[in-house]
Amino acid sequence: TRTRTPPVAHARPQTLDLYMFLYRDFGLSFNAVYDGQTVAAGEYSAYLKNDSTTRNMFINHIEFHSAEAVKWKVWEVTGTAAAGETVTPSNLNLASGIPAEATAMAGDTAITGLTTVKQIGSHRSEALSESDMDYEGALVLGPGKAIAVEYDTGTTGLCAHDIFFWYEDVGAA
């Protein structure tokens, strides 16, 4: 297991999953819930952009839930996302009022306006299943960077995602 020493006075390193929860204590860990959407092959089902100018966004993992068997693609994207439904990420520290510095959209109405830069992940899920891609914080979105999840192939159907992430100041990691 890879480890990192958090930027606080702890004597021992934390595993990356625990690292996300450390940032929960600072009010900087979030979950974007993309729930109950019907998406067709070739459409984006989730979009997440780091709107912070001072912090990197670290993706811990992406959950995939689907009624149909689906091949998913995760893309780095540019452009201005439009036409999707706004998603407000939830702060995992319920005592914190800090909002996520992010733009998030779900694709029940097709998300448009994006240009793919490069594919950074591929995943398959079986019908009526849930699974995840565990990045353990290795997927980092610098200020202004964005990702989109594409419902690449499969029968049009109901799907959902959870994207768990945290922020750290640029240069802290």
Side-chain angles (χ1 to χ4, degrees):
T1 301
R2 294 174 304 162
T3 60
R4 252 195 224 164
T5 303
V8 293
H10 286 282
R12 65 182 189 281
Q14 305 289 318
T15 65
L16 287 173
D17 280 341
L18 292 176
Y19 201 62
M20 180 179 170
F21 294 109
L22 172 68
Y23 276 87
R24 172 202 61 202
D25 294 342
F26 301 144
L28 296 174
S29 290
F30 299 87
N31 180 24
V33 179
Y34 305 81
D35 199 22
Q37 49 187 318
T38 301
V39 181
E43 294 180 346
Y44 298 113
S45 52
Y47 170 80
L48 182 63
K49 179 181 178 187
N50 180 4
D51 289 334
S52 176
T53 59
T54 61
R55 293 183 173 126
N56 288 324
M57 177 190 286
F58 292 78
I59 306 294
N60 193 55
H61 69 278
I62 302 172
E63 293 182 355
F64 301 86
H65 312 273
S66 60
E68 305 295 332
V70 179
K71 178 184 176 195
W72 307 94
K73 289 182 179 176
V74 180
W75 295 95
E76 177 186 1
V77 294
T78 60
T80 302
E85 293 75 37
T86 299
V87 170
T88 302
S90 299
N91 192 313
L92 294 177
N93 180 339
L94 300 182
S96 173
I98 299 172
E101 295 177 82
T103 300
M105 294 183 123
D108 203 25
T109 303
I111 300 169
T112 61
L114 301 178
T115 301
T116 58
V117 176
K118 63 182 164 222
Q119 186 176 345
I120 54 176
S122 181
H123 189 74
R124 292 186 185 274
S125 59
E126 296 299 320
L128 302 174
S129 73
E130 54 185 63
S131 57
D132 72 314
M133 291 181 73
D134 192 355
Y135 286 101
E136 295 184 346
L139 177 53
V140 182
L141 304 184
K145 296 294 185 177
I147 60 168
V149 177
E150 179 187 356
Y151 191 105
D152 183 47
T153 58
T155 304
T156 298
L158 188 64
C159 69
H161 301 287
D162 287 273
I163 301 179
F164 292 86
F165 62 96
W166 78 86
Y167 291 99
E168 294 179 26
D169 291 338
V170 171

